[in-house]
Amino acid sequence: MRKPIIAGNWKMNKTPAEATELIEALKPLVKDAQCDVVVCPPFVCLPAAVEAAKGSNIKVGAQNVHFEKSGAFTAEVSVDMLKALGVEYVIVGHSERRQYFGETDAVVNKRALAALEGGITPIICVGELKSERESGITHAIVELQTRLVLANMTECQVKKCVIAYEPVWAIGTGLTATKEDAQEVIAFIRSIVCDMYGSEVAEAIRIQYGGSMNPKNATELMGMPDIDGGLIGGASLKAPDFTAVVNY
Ligand code: PGA
C-alpha cells in the first residue's frame, strides 16, 4: 500500500514571517491527515518553516538542490545545507525550472541522485507541454523524461522517489487534467518504471498529480487508483485551501 503524499509548492511566495504564519495556521487543521503532508517554501524561509513545523506532522521540502557537495556554484544550495536545516524533501525538475532556467532531464537526474544519496526525498517533476499533448506525443515525452530522470538509480533509491506528473498546460492555468487523463498518464509512467526497475519498484513508487489541483477536484483525482497524491501550487498558499486538499 502506498501512503498518499500531498505537497505544497509555494514557488516564489512568502517571507519567513509569512511562512511561519501559514504553517502555524495549518498545524491544527492537518494534524489528522491520512497522507504525508509537505510544504516547500523558498530557500530563505526554510529555517523558519522547519522551526514552525517542529512537533507536527508537516514536513518541509526545498524547491531545488544542487548536485555538487560544495564549491564555486553561485546561488546554488547543496544537499548537506538542506539536511543541516532539517529539510526532508526537495522538488527537482519543476517545469518552471525547465522553462525559465534551462534545466534538462540529465541535470534533474543528477539533482535527484544527489538528494537520494544525502537522504532527502526528491519529488521529481515530469509532464508534457500543451503543444505536445495536441500533437499526440504525450506518452513519448513522458516516457523519455521518466527514463532519463530515473536513470542510474538502485531499485531501493527509485522506491524512495516521488514522481509528480504535471501537465505543463495545467499549471497555474485553472485547467486541470480530467481524472481519467491524469490516471491514464500516471499508470503509463508506472508501467515505464516497471519496465526499468520491475514490478515491485513500480508498485512502491508514489506518483502525484499536479496542475491546478484544488479543493474542488482533489477528491476525484485522489480517488483514482494510480494517483498517490498531489503537488499543489496556488492552492497551497492559503491554509483553508491546502487543508481541504490534504483532507480530501
Ligand atoms: P498549480 O501549480 O497548482 O498552481 O497549478 C502546481 C505546480 O506548479 O506544482
Side-chain angles (χ1 to χ4, degrees):
M1 276 306 287
R2 300 182 294 267
K3 187 172 186 196
I5 173 167
I6 305 278
N9 173 11
W10 293 7
K11 310 193 178 185
M12 197 173 72
N13 293 290
K14 309 276 181 200
T15 62
E18 289 166 344
T20 300
E21 197 183 329
L22 178 49
I23 291 168
E24 290 297 348
L26 285 171
K27 278 201 290 196
L29 300 173
V30 305
K31 69 176 186 350
D32 298 320
Q34 300 299 302
C35 59
D36 286 338
V37 181
V38 182
V39 294
C40 301
F43 284 128
V44 296
C45 298
L46 290 172
V50 170
E51 186 57 34
K54 247 183 209 148
S56 79
N57 59 331
I58 300 174
K59 307 287 187 202
V60 176
Q63 296 175 16
N64 205 357
V65 70
H66 199 259
F67 43 84
E68 294 292 347
K69 282 207 145 309
S70 62
F73 302 101
T74 299
E76 292 289 330
V77 168
S78 74
V79 175
D80 289 348
M81 293 172 192
L82 296 179
K83 284 252 336 169
L85 290 181
V87 169
E88 294 177 69
Y89 290 82
V90 62
I91 299 168
V92 294
H94 190 275
S95 67
E96 286 148 20
R97 299 298 313 171
R98 294 169 182 266
Q99 186 179 351
Y100 304 128
F101 303 96
E103 292 200 12
T104 62
D105 289 310
V107 167
V108 175
N109 175 243
K110 284 166 86 169
R111 294 186 194 276
L113 273 167
L116 287 163
E117 274 154 24
I120 292 184
T121 301
I123 299 174
I124 312 173
C125 304
V126 298
E128 82 286 0
L129 303 172
K130 187 163 189 273
S131 58
E132 292 165 341
R133 177 159 283 262
E134 286 169 351
S135 311
I137 57 169
T138 297
H139 278 199
I141 294 296
V142 169
E143 174 171 359
L144 188 64
Q145 290 176 336
T146 302
R147 288 190 184 277
L148 293 172
V149 298
L150 293 185
N152 306 314
M153 290 181 184
T154 65
E155 288 176 12
C156 184
Q157 285 176 324
V158 181
K159 280 187 195 173
K160 289 186 190 139
C161 291
V162 177
I163 296 179
Y165 166 59
E166 299 206 302
V168 180
W169 49 270
I171 296 178
T173 57
L175 297 171
T176 320
T178 63
K179 62 182 193 301
E180 291 82 10
D181 282 347
Q183 160 64 26
E184 193 271 326
V185 179
I186 288 176
F188 173 72
I189 293 171
R190 201 177 299 286
S191 76
I192 300 302
V193 177
C194 182
D195 187 56
M196 294 175 77
Y197 291 104
S199 59
E200 198 193 318
V201 175
E203 284 306 312
I205 192 170
R206 295 184 291 178
I207 310 181
Q208 300 172 313
Y209 168 77
S212 299
M213 194 161 161
N214 59 46
K216 289 204 185 79
N217 56 33
T219 310
E220 59 174 34
L221 286 162
M222 292 302 293
M224 302 309 279
D226 281 284
I227 302 183
D228 305 320
L231 185 57
I232 321 298
S236 72
L237 296 172
K238 291 197 185 110
D241 288 358
F242 190 59
T243 301
V245 176
V246 162
N247 297 326
Y248 58 90

